Amino acid sequence: MATNRSPADDDSRQAQALTEKSTPVAILLAFVLSPVAYYYVGRTKLAVINFLTLNYLLLGVVIVPLHVYKIISDAEAERGDQTTVR
């Protein structure tokens, strides 16, 4: 028997989990341990890439905090859009 669950259901759960993450903690982790910040927000592949490239050849000190902030803020915006539609 097939289920009628859309892939969007998984995205909404992931967005909900991201909105529960603390933005200041994520940014602090991004400054100190960039791969751990990506892992904190659920981006394991980016954490591995960041680790293997030595923090994006040391440019990660600037790039990762901005990217982690954008990931969390996009998840909050997506969750906000879903709650207003219903």
Side-chain angles (χ1 to χ4, degrees):
M1 183 167 167
T3 60
N4 292 332
R5 199 181 71 168
S6 69
D9 293 339
D10 293 333
D11 293 339
S12 65
R13 279 191 226 121
Q14 184 180 16
Q16 182 178 3
L18 277 175
T19 57
E20 295 171 358
K21 303 288 183 178
S22 172
T23 304
V25 169
I27 292 173
L28 181 64
L29 282 172
F31 278 119
V32 178
L33 297 168
S34 298
V36 176
Y38 276 134
Y39 187 76
Y40 179 72
V41 296
R43 308 294 178 155
T44 307
K45 290 179 184 176
L46 287 175
V48 171
I49 291 169
N50 185 276
F51 180 75
L52 293 176
T53 60
L54 300 174
N55 197 15
Y56 302 128
L57 299 176
L58 301 178
L59 292 174
V61 175
V62 176
I63 296 169
V64 176
L66 296 173
H67 191 216
V68 167
Y69 175 77
K70 181 154 176 43
I71 290 170
I72 293 175
S73 63
D74 287 349
E76 289 173 348
E78 181 181 325
R79 185 171 182 209
D81 290 342
Q82 289 177 355
T83 57
T84 57
V85 171
R86 292 181 185 181

